[in-house]
């Protein structure tokens, strides 16, 4: 009688050695913090307190001279925190890790050393194919901080900067309405006997939420429009106020715009913000009304908006004041820098604890989501589709 054949070989049936994971050795980070040279970029990724936290854990941070001056952090603040300050940009870009707010300029790409790690914004819509090709030639590993997710599947840096942009939009509108800026002389605030100003917020995302909270807190009458009833319902619950909300219906929106003193556009699209306020609608608005298009970096949701700068932030069209600065958080450089630093510092310390970026992105899905170049190989589908480039799935590259 034939004996049944075992599916296992003799060697497989013998006792085997147990394979235990070796504890990851804590890595030492060497971070270069360049001075931002992009147009009107005034933020810095790490504050002196963050540098102190990193150096206290045995890491090195090399800071370019005057990197934090626009955020009111002096070179002395950084040296007293344990950082090393240098005037040599070549030294900065020779560091294994480069931490920046804005993407590298073409000159900075030339300075970066092969096999470096770059952590910065990507700003995909402003990039060119040559940018990725040059980084690929240097086999750079690069993470875009606007793509990084947290444990709740949110984009923490985008959300934090959107909070600043939303609150800032109301503060800017308050300035532009004043007589100092040749506005209508109206004040945000519920002054006894004086009708409150009318504010229209288009978009109930993070920017719209914080714009609404700020405007309501100052005593304005606020009307919020969004295509999603769920977002409107959530916002109404968050604000805890008898808030006027509506889906985007042209007739209702036109009626609100005619009465508005301030309009804040905060709608984003996949590739471009949809135009929800047409030129015909703008023509029907009050003389001297203020329009702030926070979504201007994605084309704008107001048809008459144009990109402006911090030095010349407004234009007038159809007697309506338009504000179209794309980088609003940079207007408040110190607050924005503190916000970025609060997010980056725990990430950097965690990367070190895990033994380096390679180990961290292997196990951290949220951080891996920000990866768009891995040793020079494009690993982000959005970038590949946008520029018609080949890419490889990061999961196949890393594991």
């Amino acid at each position: 009688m034939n004996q049944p054949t075992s599916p296992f070989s003799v060697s497989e049936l013998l006792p085997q050695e147990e394979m235990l994971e070796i504890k990851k050795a804590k890595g030492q980070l060497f971070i270069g913090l360049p001075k931002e040279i992009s147009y009107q970029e005034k933020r810095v990724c790490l504050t002196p307190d963050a540098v102190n936290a990193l150096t206290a854990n045995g890491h090195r941070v090399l800071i370019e001279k005057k990197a934090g001056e626009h955020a009111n952090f002096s070179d002395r603040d950084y040296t007293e925190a344990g950082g090393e300050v240098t005037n040599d940009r070549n030294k900065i870009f020779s560091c294994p890790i480069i931490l920046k707010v804005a993407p590298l300029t073409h000159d900075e790409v030339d300075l970066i050393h092969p096999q470096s790690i770059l952590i910065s914004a990507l700003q995909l819509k402003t990039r060119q194919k040559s940018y990725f090709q040059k980084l690929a030639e240097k086999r750079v590993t690069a993470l875009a901080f606007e793509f990084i997710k947290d444990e709740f599947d949110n984009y923490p840096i985008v959300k934090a900067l959107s909070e600043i942009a939303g609150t800032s939009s109301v503060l800017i509108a308050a300035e532009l309405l004043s007589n100092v800026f040749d506005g209508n002389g109206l004040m945000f605030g519920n002054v006894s006997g004086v009708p409150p100003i009318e504010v229209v917020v288009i978009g109930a995302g993070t920017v719209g939420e914080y714009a609404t909270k700020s405007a309501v807190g100052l005593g304005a009458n606020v009307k919020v429009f969004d295509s999603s009833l769920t977002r409107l319902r959530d916002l109404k619950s968050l604000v805890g106020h008898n808030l006027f909300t509506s889906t985007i219906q042209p007739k209702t929106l036109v009626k609100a715009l005619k009465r508005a003193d301030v309009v804040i556009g905060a709608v984003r699209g996949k590739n471009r913000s949809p135009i929800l306020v047409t030129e015909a609608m703008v023509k029907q608005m009050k003389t001297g009304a203020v329009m702030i298009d926070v979504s201007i970096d994605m084309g704008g949701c107001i048809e008459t908006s144009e990109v402006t700068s911090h030095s010349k932030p407004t234009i007038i069209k159809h007697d309506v004041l338009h504000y179209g600065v794309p980088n609003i958080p940079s207007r408040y450089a110190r607050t924005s820098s503190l916000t970025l630093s609060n997010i980056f510092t725990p990430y950097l310390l965690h990367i070190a604890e895990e033994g380096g970026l390679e180990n961290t992105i292997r196990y951290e899905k949220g951080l891996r989501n920000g990866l768009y170049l891995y040793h020079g190989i494009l690993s982000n589908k959005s970038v590949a589709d946008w520029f018609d480039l080949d890419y490889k799935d990061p999961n196949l590259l890393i594991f």
Side-chain angles (χ1 to χ4, degrees), residues 96-391:
I97 300 175
I98 304 298
L99 189 61
K100 278 186 97 273
V101 178
L104 297 182
T105 64
H106 283 291
D107 289 340
E108 288 173 333
V109 173
D110 291 334
L111 290 174
I112 198 168
H113 280 211
Q115 298 287 6
S116 296
I117 294 169
L118 170 66
I119 305 173
S120 73
L122 176 57
Q123 297 174 3
L124 183 59
K125 308 300 186 296
T126 65
R127 297 299 91 203
Q128 296 175 335
K129 185 184 283 191
S130 59
Y131 179 79
F132 302 99
Q133 291 170 333
K134 289 180 77 173
L135 286 177
E137 287 170 8
K138 295 204 171 187
R139 304 184 302 285
V140 167
T141 295
L143 284 90
F145 64 57
E146 64 263 50
F147 292 159
I148 294 172
K149 289 185 176 182
D150 60 17
E151 63 270 28
F152 304 107
D153 212 33
N154 294 319
Y155 297 93
I157 297 176
V158 173
K159 188 174 176 66
L161 294 177
S162 294
E163 291 176 13
I164 295 172
T167 304
S168 300
S169 63
V170 172
L171 299 177
I172 292 164
E175 289 178 20
L176 296 176
L177 281 173
S178 72
N179 290 111
V180 175
F181 292 90
D182 297 323
N184 280 341
L186 295 171
M187 186 182 79
F188 267 85
N190 196 356
V191 179
S192 300
V194 180
I197 69 165
E198 298 284 335
V199 176
V200 171
V201 178
I202 304 171
T206 305
V207 174
E209 175 193 333
Y210 279 82
T212 301
K213 284 180 178 178
S214 300
V216 167
L218 288 171
N221 275 343
V222 185
K223 295 177 180 178
V224 185
F225 292 82
D226 195 279
S227 58
S228 168
L229 273 172
T230 302
R231 282 197 293 266
L232 291 171
R233 190 179 293 114
D234 289 345
L235 179 56
K236 198 166 186 177
S237 175
L238 279 168
V239 172
H241 189 270
N242 190 20
L243 194 66
F244 176 99
T245 58
S246 172
T247 52
I248 299 170
Q249 301 171 19
K251 189 176 179 181
T252 311
L253 182 57
V254 167
K255 187 177 178 181
L257 290 172
K258 284 180 179 178
R259 299 187 60 182
D261 299 296
V262 174
V263 177
I264 296 170
V267 178
R268 305 184 78 81
K270 188 174 181 181
N271 292 321
R272 192 204 185 285
S273 297
I275 293 174
L276 301 175
V277 179
T278 64
E279 188 167 4
M281 292 177 179
V282 176
K283 287 179 180 178
Q284 298 180 62
M285 290 178 63
K286 293 178 182 178
T287 298
V290 172
M291 302 192 85
I292 297 180
D293 199 341
V294 184
S295 56
I296 193 68
D297 60 334
M298 292 193 72
C301 62
I302 299 166
E303 189 175 16
T304 47
S305 291
E306 290 183 15
V307 175
T308 57
S309 64
H310 288 298
S311 55
K312 193 177 179 183
T314 59
I315 57 168
I316 297 174
K317 286 189 178 180
H318 308 300
D319 297 321
V320 174
L321 198 64
H322 293 64
Y323 182 97
V325 178
N327 188 8
I328 290 178
S330 189
R331 180 185 175 97
Y332 302 95
R334 190 177 177 95
T335 295
S336 297
S337 298
L338 287 164
T339 300
L340 289 171
S341 189
N342 288 341
I343 296 170
F344 278 127
T345 308
Y347 271 122
L348 292 168
L349 291 172
H350 180 60
I351 288 168
E353 287 292 334
E354 291 296 315
L357 185 66
E358 295 267 345
N359 283 329
T360 312
I361 59 177
R362 186 173 289 120
Y363 300 106
E364 296 284 345
K365 184 180 176 183
L367 196 64
R368 189 163 70 246
N369 198 68
L371 189 72
Y372 65 92
L373 280 170
Y374 183 73
H375 295 295
I377 301 169
L378 189 64
S379 58
N380 184 285
K381 191 176 186 301
S382 298
V383 175
D385 290 346
W386 189 264
F387 293 102
D388 193 26
L389 292 166
D390 293 328
Y391 92 105

